[in-house]
Amino acid sequence: MLAGLLVAALGLQAEKFPPFQAGTSDVLFEKSPPHSDADELKARFRTKEEIPPYDVTKEKFRLIVPKSYAHGAKWGLLVYVNAGDDPGIPGEYLEVLEKHKLIAVG
């Protein structure tokens, strides 16, 4: 669910970003995707309990684009969910990202 919201939020912001640049950066969003409102979440989780909307604008994401990234090539996406409050991705993942042509977001 979180990964889907993140990808949708990235899509909403995509027109503001030029092609990805290699390196590490923090990403903040100006608005949440439409399917993160309270009614949509309640229907998705099939619950009678009240669920507050998920506000992605209160989150910070870490984006890692490997040095070998080329805009015209096909790349995969690795979504890393850290158990703590830090959006960081372990440093040992960098080599794996390069090898398997993955962009990572945490």
Side-chain angles (χ1 to χ4, degrees):
M1 174 77 174
L2 177 60
L5 289 172
L6 177 60
V7 170
L10 279 169
L12 286 174
Q13 301 293 315
E15 66 274 1
K16 296 182 181 185
F17 293 117
F20 292 121
Q21 301 297 315
T24 301
S25 59
D26 287 340
V27 178
L28 302 170
F29 296 100
E30 295 174 5
K31 63 182 182 176
S32 289
H35 55 277
S36 64
D37 67 23
D39 291 337
E40 178 71 23
L41 292 175
K42 187 174 180 178
R44 190 172 297 261
F45 287 111
R46 297 183 183 139
T47 182
K48 294 179 180 170
E49 296 177 29
E50 290 302 312
I51 297 178
Y54 175 68
D55 187 358
V56 75
T57 64
K58 295 179 180 176
E59 306 288 345
K60 177 169 65 171
F61 301 93
R62 178 89 22 94
L63 181 66
I64 299 176
V65 180
K67 294 176 190 171
S68 61
Y69 174 77
H71 182 62
K74 293 183 180 185
W75 284 72
L77 176 67
L78 170 73
V79 177
Y80 180 82
V81 180
N82 191 337
D85 291 332
D86 178 24
I89 297 170
E92 58 269 15
Y93 280 45
L94 298 178
E95 186 177 319
V96 174
L97 298 175
E98 287 280 356
K99 180 180 178 183
H100 295 284
K101 295 178 69 174
L102 297 169
I103 295 172
V105 64

